[in-house]
Amino acid sequence: QVQLQQSGPGLVKPSQTVSLTCAISGDSVSSETAAWHWIRQSPSRGLEWLGRTYFRRLWFDDYAVSLKGRISINADTAKNQFSLLLNSVTPDDTGVYYCARGSEFGVLIDAWGQGTPVTVSS
Amino acid sequence: DIQMTQSPSTLSASVGDRVTITCRASQSISGRLAWYQQKPGKAPKILISQASSLESGVPPRFSGSRSGTEFTLTISSLQPDDFATYYCQQYKSYWTFGQGTKVEIK
């Protein structure tokens, strides 16, 4: 049974970078039938998909159009984990950030991390 | 982008009631729809995939159905553990969620 354990700071200053990590147990970040997603939740935006990374002989990633240029998701095969970097943050980026697994070749989001509340404030 | 319109936003019900939540997609998503349950302070938990397939371990009082671009989650007899917020999500083209339905005690 896959488990996802998130870590990272919960308070970030405006214009700085949100940096979160998701450690995977019970599956492999290099699995060619899974994808690894980041999703956030806020009262104003609801649940919002941010992006994903996945391995199909090579590494690929996709990002929400609204965040392109500010977001990067990377895998660390040695530690079996993946990370989120979101830069140039504003208070509008405040919310709870979740990592998640997509099964069935990455499309069905069926397992979630515990969530990390992130506040953007000076 | 595919938009998901979920209704109602809040639903007041009693234990034993039959509850129905509806989600409409802005365009065809075939059956690529999932339902999630979320309790306060917790991550969403998947209940149903492919519009009507019950996930392992989910009680059979939960069911899902589809008619074109309209999808329904039904709880046949509401139990105390079912008071929560429910979300639909399409996974036909990237991923978008409905705004959620909070099921509260009447």
Side-chain angles (χ1 to χ4, degrees), chain B residues 5-11 20-24 35 100-101:
Chain B
T5 303
Q6 189 174 339
S7 61
S9 55
T10 306
L11 190 160
T20 299
I21 299 167
T22 299
C23 191
R24 179 172 282 115
W35 288 99
T101 296

Side-chain angles (χ1 to χ4, degrees), chain A residues 21-25 29 75-82:
Chain A
T21 298
C22 184
I24 303 163
S25 57
V29 73
D76 183 338
T77 57
K79 294 182 178 179
N80 202 31
Q81 64 186 31
F82 62 109

Side-chain angles (χ1 to χ4, degrees), chain A residues 37 39 41 43-49 52 62-63 65 98 104 106-115, chain B residues 1 32-34 36 38-39 41-46 48-50 55 87 89 91 94-99:
Chain A
H37 301 256
I39 294 161
Q41 184 173 30
S44 58
R45 295 176 177 271
L47 284 161
E48 178 186 16
W49 177 79
R52 65 168 174 172
D62 295 294
Y63 301 117
V65 171
Y98 293 99
E104 298 187 8
V107 297
L108 178 64
I109 294 174
D110 65 349
W112 298 65
Q114 79 275 23
Chain B
D1 288 11
R32 296 279 185 121
L33 183 109
Y36 298 86
Q38 186 178 33
K39 295 183 177 178
K42 299 293 188 182
K45 170 192 170 186
I46 190 167
I48 287 170
S49 63
Q50 201 62 22
E55 292 292 301
Y87 295 92
Q89 177 219 53
Y91 53 97
Y94 293 96
W95 295 267
T96 48
F97 295 83
Q99 288 304 303

